[in-house]
Amino acid sequence: AKAQSKGEGKMSNEKVDGIQPMYVQAQAQVVSQPGQQQEQPESLIPYPDETNWHTSECACERCCACQGECWMAWCCSCFSLGHISSKLEALGQPCCLKYSHIVMIGVALTIVDIILSVVMSRPGRPAMRQPRLAGLFFFFVTFQMRRAISRRLKFADNCCFDCLWSFFCTPCVITQMNGTLWSQPEVQPGCSCDDNFAQVV
């Protein structure tokens, strides 16, 4: 009986010894993750010391440069806005919509605009002004993102000024935001549709 109790005691000690290191290791992993998340956002800002936008809205070398980011801002705004949304989320300043939502809604509204254009341009129909649903959506998202960047980086921007720029020249504002959130936006994100650039400085 004594031998059996000693054997059981030995087995229980082995189980405790086997469980305890696993528990300590799990605790170490949980403790290390919050520290990494707290240090991460500030390191993703390419120009942390600047108190204003890195480029102006009328910088033709950016918005009319015929580079990757320029083409995406003018022709595929939904992908550029999706990249900016992902970067804002990584900086701890999430915007109204995520990357996938912006792309899906932007593509869907563009298709609706094309269908409405075909239907309303048929002969015999009264002349009506076609609503630009995709353009209105991109304006709203661009304005919200510009305000979010200003709050995150503490820029002294005017709300009416941001609204006017976002409405009358959406691609110019998009390239300006890219130039502020990435050090080489013509390379990354550039002309890419992937959502892999939130951690790129």
Side-chain angles (χ1 to χ4, degrees):
K2 292 183 178 180
Q4 186 177 0
S5 61
K6 288 182 179 180
E8 290 179 354
K10 185 177 181 181
M11 291 176 61
S12 62
N13 290 334
E14 289 177 356
K15 289 182 179 179
V16 172
D17 293 340
I19 293 174
Q20 189 172 0
M22 294 175 62
Y23 175 76
V24 173
Q25 184 177 4
Q27 288 291 98
Q29 290 178 357
V30 173
V31 172
S32 63
Q33 287 178 358
Q36 293 176 358
Q37 293 177 355
Q38 292 175 358
E39 296 175 359
Q40 188 178 19
E42 297 300 328
S43 62
L44 296 177
I45 302 176
Y47 311 104
D49 298 330
E50 294 188 358
T51 58
N52 205 342
W53 298 93
H54 187 64
T55 59
S56 66
E57 298 86 354
C58 299
C60 294
E61 67 271 10
R62 298 200 62 83
C63 64
C64 299
C66 294
Q67 295 179 347
E69 58 161 337
C70 173
W71 286 110
M72 294 296 284
W74 285 93
C75 303
C76 301
S77 301
C78 57
F79 294 103
S80 294
L81 292 174
H83 293 151
I84 297 172
S85 176
S86 299
K87 188 63 175 285
L88 283 172
E89 186 175 0
L91 290 174
Q93 187 75 37
C95 195
C96 50
L97 296 171
K98 294 183 178 294
Y99 176 90
S100 57
H101 301 154
I102 295 174
V103 172
M104 288 189 294
I105 296 175
V107 171
L109 291 179
T110 302
I111 295 174
V112 171
D113 283 343
I114 295 174
I115 295 175
L116 290 176
S117 177
V118 173
V119 172
M120 297 175 67
S121 62
R122 288 182 178 177
R125 296 185 63 88
M128 297 178 61
R129 186 174 182 83
Q130 176 190 348
R132 302 292 181 179
L133 301 179
L136 292 175
F137 171 71
F138 293 147
F139 152 68
F140 172 76
V141 176
T142 301
F143 172 67
Q144 292 295 326
M145 289 184 177
R146 184 180 172 92
R147 296 303 303 162
I149 294 174
S150 297
R151 289 192 298 268
R152 179 63 180 83
L153 303 182
K154 299 179 181 179
F155 292 163
D157 280 351
N158 184 279
C159 183
C160 295
F161 182 82
D162 292 340
C163 181
L164 291 174
W165 269 111
S166 301
F167 183 80
F168 288 105
C169 194
T170 303
C172 299
V173 176
I174 292 176
T175 54
Q176 183 189 40
M177 291 189 294
N178 285 335
T180 302
L181 295 179
W182 284 278
S183 58
Q184 292 182 312
E186 67 280 358
V187 180
Q188 293 178 329
C191 190
S192 176
C193 302
D194 296 331
D195 184 21
N196 299 322
F197 303 100
Q199 305 297 327
V200 177
V201 181

